[in-house]
Amino acid sequence: MQQADLDWANLTFGYHRTDLNIRYTWRDGAWDDGVLTADETLPLHMASTCLHYGQECFEGLKAFQTKGGHVVVFRIDENARRMMGSCQKLLMPPVPEETFIDAVFRVVNANRAFVPPHGTGASLYIRPLVLGTGPQVGVKPAEEYMFIVFLSPVGPYFKSGFKPVDLVVEETVDRAAPLGVGDIKAGGNYAAGMRASVAAKQRGYTEVLYLDAKEKRYIDESGPANFFAITKEDRYVTPDSKSILPSITNKSLITLAEAAGLRPQRRPIEVEEIFAFREAGCCGTAAVITPIGSITYRDRKVVYSENGEPGPRCTELYHKLTAIQLGDADDEYGWVQRIPQD
Ligand code: PLP
Ligand code: COI
C-alpha cells in the first residue's frame, strides 16, 4: 500500500485527517454493526446530552508499524475495558470489548496508508469516543448514543519529544474530586483543567501537576498524563488516588520497573516529596514517557535535569516500553496485538 504523503518525522500531536472513520449507533437497546464514512462531521441533535450535560467519554491508544511491516496496537483490551467502565459510570451503554476491538481493526485497516513508517518516531493515534446523542432537556441519560473511532497520525504530545519538561504545581484549580469522575476518561475532566493548563503555559511552564482536591497535600497527576518518580532508594513510585485516570502506560511501566529491580510502589505521594526525588516523569499514551526537568511548587523549584537530558531510569524505561510497542523487543507480556489485514 502506498503511504500517505506526510512529513512523518515532524508530525505534531494534532488532528491530521485520514480517509475514513467508523461510527456505530445505539438505539432500542442495541449497538448496530457500524459503518465506515469519509464524513468528518456529525449530524447532532441540538439537545443531545453530550452537548448539555457532558454525557461523553473517550479513549486514546496507538498503532505502530513494525520493522517487518505489520501494524500492531498496544494493550487494546485494556482500553476497551476502561471505556466500558467510563460508559457505566456515565450511564451510557458500554461498547462490548469485541465491538471496540473490531471497530479499531476495521478503521485502521481502512487507513493503512496513514500508519507512520517504522523508525520515524510517529504513530497512528486512535481516538474512540461515546456520545449521548439522544435529546433531553431534563438531566437524565440519553436514549440514543454514538460510538465513533477516528484516527490521526501524530508525533509526540509535548513538542520537545523525549526531553525534560517544566511543570508547576497547581493549587487554585481542581481537575477532579475524589468521588467524582477523575478516574474515567470523561471529556468534562479536560474542560475542567483547560484554564489551569493554558495559564501555566502563559507563565512558561509545559503543564500543571494537580494535587488531591480534598487536602491539597498529595500529588494526583498532570493534565494529560500520570505522574511517577524515581526515589533516592532507586524505587519507582506513582500516586495512589481515586481521582486520577488508571493509566495503561503507567501500569505497563510498573511491570517493566519490577523487572528492572526498581521495586515499584503505588502509594499516596506527598507533594513535599518532590524535593527528594532523583528523577520524575509523566506517562501516558500521548505523553509516552516525558521526563520532568523541573517542578515549581509555590516559591520553590526542584530541578531534576541540569543539562536538559533525561535521567537514566526514565531513559531505560522509555527504551524498554517503546521497543515493545514498536515490535523491536520480545513481547514477553503479551501486550502487542497484530491487526490482521482484511
Ligand atoms: N491521565 C490522564 C488525565 C490522561 O488523559 C491520560 C491519557 O490517556 C493518562 C493519564 C494516561 O493514560 P494512558 O496511559 O492509559 O494513556
Ligand atoms: C492520551 O494520552 O491518549 C490522552 O487521551 C491524553 C490526551 C490529553 C491527549
Side-chain angles (χ1 to χ4, degrees):
M1 150 138 350
Q2 179 125 24
Q3 298 250 250
D5 183 22
L6 290 170
D7 183 6
W8 303 107
N10 293 307
L11 280 179
T12 55
F13 189 91
Y15 180 71
H16 306 111
R17 66 166 298 286
T18 63
D19 288 337
L20 298 168
N21 61 84
I22 192 162
R23 309 163 175 202
Y24 297 67
T25 300
W26 189 88
R27 194 175 286 137
D28 300 328
W31 287 107
D32 70 10
D33 293 333
V35 50
L36 286 160
T37 172
D39 192 350
E40 292 169 274
T41 65
L42 300 177
L44 205 54
H45 195 292
M46 62 189 171
S48 295
T49 58
C50 66
L51 296 178
H52 299 257
Y53 301 128
Q55 209 190 12
E56 186 272 350
C57 69
F58 69 100
E59 266 306 322
L61 65 157
K62 281 175 173 172
F64 305 88
Q65 191 165 130
T66 66
K67 232 181 236 155
H70 298 298
V71 177
V72 296
V73 277
F74 184 70
R75 306 198 78 170
I76 186 170
D77 50 332
E78 293 277 349
N79 291 95
R81 287 197 289 270
R82 188 170 65 187
M83 194 157 89
M84 291 177 77
S86 297
C87 286
Q88 272 153 352
K89 201 158 180 181
L90 298 175
L91 303 184
M92 307 200 287
V95 175
E97 186 174 332
E98 317 76 72
T99 308
F100 183 100
I101 294 174
D102 192 49
V104 169
F105 284 13
R106 280 168 75 188
V107 73
V108 173
N109 269 332
N111 293 283
R112 285 223 165 208
F114 295 91
V115 185
H118 188 84
T120 54
S123 55
L124 185 67
Y125 189 69
I126 303 167
R127 174 53 62 83
L129 50 152
V130 178
L131 314 170
T133 49
Q136 296 286 10
V137 178
V139 181
K140 51 188 172 226
E143 290 182 359
E144 277 188 31
Y145 293 85
M146 258 181 127
F147 165 50
I148 304 168
V149 186
F150 73 80
L151 308 172
S152 181
V154 296
Y157 186 76
F158 294 114
K159 60 176 180 294
S160 52
F162 187 59
K163 286 280 177 207
V165 296
D166 299 306
L167 300 192
V168 59
V169 174
E170 175 58 65
E171 290 190 278
T172 62
V173 173
D174 291 324
R175 167 191 170 272
L179 301 178
V181 293
D183 60 338
I184 62 164
K185 250 175 126 51
N189 291 331
Y190 300 80
M194 257 181 214
R195 70 194 191 284
S197 173
V198 167
K201 282 172 193 147
Q202 281 164 353
R203 291 164 61 206
Y205 301 105
T206 319
E207 251 300 344
V208 297
L209 193 54
Y210 290 106
L211 299 183
D212 76 284
K214 196 169 173 184
E215 294 187 72
K216 295 277 186 289
R217 179 170 162 195
Y218 301 100
I219 295 178
D220 254 0
E221 63 176 331
S222 181
N226 270 189
F227 173 86
F228 70 89
I230 306 294
T231 65
K232 288 236 157 48
E233 297 74 36
D234 210 20
R235 287 193 89 144
Y236 179 103
V237 292
T238 191
D240 187 19
S241 163
K242 285 193 168 58
S243 48
I244 64 176
L245 192 76
S247 156
I248 297 159
T249 313
N250 199 1
K251 185 174 174 181
S252 311
L253 291 176
I254 287 172
T255 302
L256 296 176
E258 181 77 56
L262 298 177
R263 299 167 297 145
Q265 217 180 14
R266 210 191 269 279
R267 61 164 173 82
I269 296 180
E270 297 217 21
V271 60
E272 283 293 336
E273 290 186 62
I274 59 173
F275 297 102
F277 291 143
R278 196 181 277 167
E279 292 180 47
C282 294
C283 63
T285 298
V288 195
I289 287 183
T290 302
I292 299 173
S294 73
I295 303 177
T296 301
Y297 176 45
R298 301 185 179 164
D299 55 357
R300 294 149 75 201
K301 180 175 178 177
V302 54
V303 176
Y304 300 112
S305 169
E306 296 285 0
N307 57 1
E309 292 304 319
R313 293 305 188 196
C314 281
T315 306
E316 179 185 341
L317 290 169
Y318 175 85
H319 287 307
K320 287 204 158 117
L321 176 71
T322 54
I324 294 175
Q325 290 177 328
L326 291 165
D328 289 341
D330 270 356
D331 178 27
E332 60 179 299
Y333 307 106
W335 288 343
V336 171
Q337 206 170 329
R338 190 187 292 182
I339 301 188
Q341 222 158 341
D342 301 323

